[in-house]
Amino acid sequence: MSYQLTIEPLGQTIDVDDGQTILDAALRAGIYLPHACGHGLCGTCKIEVQDGEIEHGEASGFALMDYEREEGKCLACCATLESDVVIEAEIDEEPDAQNLLVQDYGGTVSRIEDLTPTIKGVWIELDAPITFQAGQYINLHIPGEGTRAFSIASAPGESREIELNIRRVPGGMGTGWVHDQLKAGDAVKVTGPYGRFFIRSSAHAKEDLGYLFLAGGSGLSSPRSMVLDLLAAGEGRPITLVNGARSRAELYHHDEFLQLAQQHPHFTYVAALSDEPDGEGWEGVRGYVHEAAKTYFNNDFRGHKAYLCGPPMMIEACITTLMQGRLFERDIYTEKFISAADAQQVRSPLFKKI
């Protein structure tokens, strides 16, 4: 059984299966609805039901208040249809978005490597190539635990075998399964691509802007994919990657980026360690990512667009530093994976996109 969903202001109607969420149906039809956590926690995917009946699902009372339910609001990531429905959603036009259809893929784990003591590299050979934009992510199906989101660390040109960099989250069932049970040769399922974290090529070309990537920990995944994609495409504008880790042991793909910097004079790689003991032979930058970027650019980031991916505290510190150095909201893009704890932290309404 299926129902019809009409999405305004697009005026587009799609079929929605019984039990399928509004968000899933829209993404699989190539229609992007704003969203973040995907689990009813953050409220980013809030939409208005103009006609028809829906079931709210597991939307949290924090993300969707009782009075909002009475006003006809719902969360697209949780809501399912109980009749034909018309909704209205805020849909931003992104000239560089490819609006790719979300699809399911089977695959086989081709290899697993310890990139750091806490991060594993997982390579998956898919049954069919996946088309994605550098910076996007997939959902990996975890037995008995649903799905977990992981950014694709490989370039779009390597669409048959994808690389994931997965950090063990203390107490995390999903990442624990990856680190303790998953092995080469295992069959897995992934769904994607997802996300609005990608290069804004038209803006770079129109304003002749350089690329600044700020990454921390396993947040290097998306920037790595973006940098590799830009270099493969022959992009000639300045590209800078500032990558942070606590110690040399936690710094991965380091030699690869050093080699790329030698091969491409317009690509600059800065690695910063925040907690590397003295006497260990590290001759590079010490400090946090935002501090390293501030020093390298002499606190003046004009002429760039910045792409940030890493732990929430790193993201916040980088945004503050970038804005103090004359970048503004329109110039800053972040990867947003929101946990239950993150969803309780309300950002200022001044920040609508970051």
Side-chain angles (χ1 to χ4, degrees):
M1 183 176 181
S2 65
Y3 299 106
Q4 289 198 317
L5 173 69
T6 301
I7 302 173
E8 300 292 356
L10 298 178
Q12 189 167 342
T13 299
I14 62 175
D15 291 328
V16 182
D17 292 334
D18 187 30
Q20 184 180 25
T21 67
I22 291 173
L23 178 61
D24 185 65
L27 294 177
R28 289 178 182 273
I31 300 171
Y32 180 81
L33 298 182
H35 63 281
C37 75
H39 300 288
L41 300 173
C42 68
T44 304
C45 64
K46 196 173 297 178
I47 55 177
E48 181 177 346
V49 178
Q50 295 185 328
D51 188 41
E53 300 295 327
I54 59 98
E55 166 59 42
H56 285 287
E58 298 182 357
S60 79
F62 174 84
L64 186 68
M65 302 293 186
D66 289 341
Y67 76 87
E68 292 179 307
R69 298 171 192 243
E70 295 174 359
E71 291 176 350
K73 302 290 196 309
C74 73
L75 301 185
C77 71
C78 296
T80 56
L81 305 191
E82 295 189 330
S83 71
D84 292 343
V85 168
V86 178
I87 64 168
E88 183 170 3
E90 293 185 11
I91 301 178
D92 296 330
E93 289 190 11
E94 288 278 5
D96 299 299
Q98 294 181 14
N99 294 321
L100 302 167
L101 276 65
V102 169
Q103 300 182 62
D104 298 315
Y105 297 86
T108 303
V109 177
S110 51
R111 59 190 170 111
I112 298 180
E113 295 181 7
D114 290 328
L115 299 178
T116 79
T118 60
I119 300 173
K120 283 190 180 291
V122 178
W123 283 261
I124 300 174
E125 184 79 22
L126 299 175
D127 295 341
I130 181 173
T131 301
F132 67 96
Q133 290 185 264
Q136 290 191 298
Y137 66 93
I138 55 88
N139 279 339
L140 175 65
H141 293 251
I142 310 293
E145 294 293 331
T147 63
R148 298 294 187 275
F150 299 110
S151 297
I152 303 174
S154 45
E158 305 164 18
S159 60
R160 192 61 180 261
E161 183 183 60
I162 59 172
E163 176 186 345
L164 309 177
N165 301 156
I166 301 177
R167 180 179 68 87
R168 181 192 288 274
V169 176
M173 300 297 292
T175 61
W177 173 79
V178 170
H179 277 251
D180 298 332
Q181 300 182 47
L182 190 64
K183 60 184 183 301
D186 285 352
V188 293
K189 294 180 181 179
V190 304
T191 304
Y194 294 99
R196 235 34 180 182
F197 191 57
F198 50 80
I199 298 295
R200 269 58 181 185
S201 301
S202 59
H204 285 275
K206 181 179 180 181
E207 303 175 48
D208 197 24
L209 300 174
Y211 304 82
L212 171 58
F213 299 96
L214 304 180
S218 60
L220 178 63
S221 300
S222 291
R224 178 177 184 264
S225 179
M226 292 166 152
V227 168
L228 293 177
D229 193 38
L230 287 170
L231 294 178
E235 173 58 67
R237 296 180 183 84
I239 303 169
T240 304
L241 168 63
V242 183
N243 180 32
R246 290 179 57 85
S247 66
R248 180 64 183 88
E250 291 288 343
L251 189 66
Y252 69 99
H253 286 325
H254 180 64
D255 292 339
E256 174 190 42
F257 287 119
L258 289 176
Q259 184 177 3
L260 288 172
Q262 290 183 334
Q263 295 172 348
H264 304 275
H266 63 297
F267 172 58
T268 301
Y269 171 59
V270 179
L273 302 183
S274 63
D275 198 26
E276 175 73 356
D278 293 333
E280 294 296 324
W282 176 252
E283 298 180 353
V285 176
R286 291 179 179 270
Y288 294 102
V289 172
H290 65 285
E291 296 169 335
K294 182 177 181 178
T295 299
Y296 181 80
F297 284 95
N298 196 25
N299 199 32
D300 187 350
F301 300 101
R302 289 176 296 177
H304 296 83
K305 280 191 176 292
Y307 301 85
L308 286 53
C309 193
M313 289 183 65
M314 186 214 92
I315 297 291
E316 295 297 325
C318 287
I319 289 173
T320 299
T321 298
L322 291 170
M323 296 187 77
Q324 289 173 346
R326 298 191 175 187
L327 280 195
F328 302 98
E329 181 183 357
R330 67 177 182 274
D331 304 311
I332 303 171
Y333 304 94
T334 68
E335 177 64 289
K336 297 178 180 179
F337 288 159
I338 298 180
S339 68
D342 297 328
Q344 309 302 317
Q345 301 176 14
V346 181
R347 287 187 57 81
S348 165
L350 293 175
F351 299 95
K352 298 185 182 301
K353 294 183 180 298
I354 59 177

